[in-house]
């Protein structure tokens, strides 16, 4: 369930200029935590500019097993993959209370006519996410669970900008989060993390993991 809110310049300020002008065309809506904004397989042509909060992009099978493709933070947008009129390729759920500017296909088309340079931004976004999806599929096909675990932790380390040879603390990460990202059970992930902790490679905390040194490529 969403709630419409009146525009506020403070919400648009953190956006880059080209995204700010796009967001102003949309309807501002707020969503509670754990609200599903997009359902995989459904039709829809709305694009969401995330002004506040964060969301996860995921898929779930009939048994409830989930795979998380990634997260989107405030200042970015999502939903662009359905602008071709096809079904949604993934589901999106809020990780915290969120505020979005929601635009339909007509709004986006009018924006592209008036600001054609935004088309490059849109193309780059689609390519970036397609590349990420390809990497996820590749890891699922070619790496075992440990290999996928290491790839994820190293990716999170790279996002912090820290060197692999030093200590890096990854915040707001749980065993279930990792399991959803690598396509394994939480129990298997917990067992592998405990083994790495015993080996002196990591230190486990509450919703955090400290990488103490470079992780071995095989276990």
């Amino acid at each position: 369930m969403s709630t419409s809110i009146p525009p506020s310049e403070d919400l648009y300020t953190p956006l880059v200029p080209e995204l700010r002008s796009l967001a102003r065309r949309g309807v501002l809506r707020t969503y509670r935590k754990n609200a599903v904004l997009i359902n995989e397989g459904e039709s829809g042509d709305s694009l969401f500019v995330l002004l506040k909060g964060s969301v996860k992009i995921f898929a779930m099978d009939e048994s409830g097993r989930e795979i998380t493709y990634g997260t989107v933070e405030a200042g970015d947008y999502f939903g662009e993959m359905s602008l071709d009129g096809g079904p949604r390729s993934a589901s999106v759920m809020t990780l915290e209370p969120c505020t979005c500017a929601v635009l339909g296909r007509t709004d986006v088309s009018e924006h592209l006519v008036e600001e054609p340079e935004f088309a490059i931004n849109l193309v780059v976004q689609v390519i970036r996410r397609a590349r990420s999806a390809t990497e996820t599929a590749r890891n699922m096909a070619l790496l075992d669970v440990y290999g996928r675990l290491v790839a994820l932790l190293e990716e999170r380390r790279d996002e912090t900008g820290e060197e692999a040879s030093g200590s890096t603390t990854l915040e707001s990460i749980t065993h279930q989060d990792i399991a959803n990202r690598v396509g394994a059970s939480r129990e298997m992930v917990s067992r592998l993390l405990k083994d790495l902790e015993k080996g002196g490679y990591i230190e486990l905390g509450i919703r955090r993991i400290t990488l103490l040194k470079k992780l071995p490529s095989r276990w």
Side-chain angles (χ1 to χ4, degrees):
M1 182 176 180
S2 66
T3 303
S4 297
I5 61 173
S8 169
E9 283 303 309
D10 291 342
L11 286 172
Y12 301 117
T13 301
L15 300 177
V16 295
E18 60 267 28
L19 202 52
R20 192 180 306 147
S21 58
L22 175 68
R24 285 197 175 105
R25 293 177 179 271
V27 176
L28 293 182
R29 296 188 179 278
T30 61
Y31 302 90
R32 68 182 186 279
K33 181 180 179 180
N34 296 330
V36 177
L37 310 188
I38 292 175
N39 283 294
E40 180 185 6
E42 290 186 352
S43 60
D45 63 357
S46 296
L47 181 145
F48 297 74
V49 180
L50 187 55
L51 305 175
K52 183 179 179 181
S54 59
V55 302
K56 70 174 179 179
I57 303 172
F58 70 101
M60 186 177 292
D61 63 19
E62 294 179 355
S63 65
R65 182 179 176 184
E66 178 183 315
I67 178 71
T68 301
Y69 298 124
T71 59
V72 177
E73 305 291 336
D76 204 347
Y77 58 93
F78 58 91
E80 74 285 347
M81 297 294 285
S82 70
L83 292 175
D84 65 347
R88 298 290 192 180
S89 58
S91 298
V92 178
M93 186 175 76
T94 59
L95 296 173
E96 56 187 311
C98 291
T99 301
C100 297
V102 185
L103 303 90
R105 190 185 308 170
T106 300
D107 300 315
V108 177
S109 296
E110 291 176 351
H111 185 71
L112 289 172
V113 170
E114 295 181 17
E115 300 192 36
E117 66 275 8
F118 181 71
I120 299 299
N121 184 300
L122 190 60
V123 169
V124 170
Q125 180 85 301
V126 171
I127 292 173
R128 179 168 62 85
R129 288 185 174 158
R131 182 177 289 118
S132 177
T134 299
E135 183 67 17
T136 297
R138 177 184 179 279
N139 288 345
M140 287 291 184
L142 301 180
L143 299 179
D144 58 14
V145 174
Y146 176 75
R148 299 198 295 271
L149 171 65
V150 169
L152 175 62
L153 294 179
E154 293 293 356
E155 176 186 319
R156 291 289 300 269
R157 189 207 299 266
D158 290 343
E159 290 172 358
T160 68
E162 300 290 340
E163 296 292 333
S165 57
S167 173
T168 305
T169 297
L170 309 179
E171 303 285 357
S172 300
I173 186 170
T174 68
H175 294 195
Q176 188 62 59
D177 293 336
I178 295 172
N180 291 344
R181 288 292 299 272
V182 303
S185 68
R186 184 182 59 79
E187 291 75 17
M188 179 176 289
V189 167
S190 295
R191 184 166 63 251
L192 289 171
L193 290 174
K194 283 292 186 183
D195 286 346
L196 286 171
E197 185 176 45
K198 290 178 182 177
Y201 291 97
I202 66 173
E203 179 180 284
L204 300 175
I206 299 175
R207 294 185 63 84
R208 66 172 175 81
I209 298 174
T210 301
L211 309 180
L212 302 176
K213 54 186 177 181
K214 185 172 177 58
L215 301 175
S217 57
R218 295 183 180 276
W219 192 255

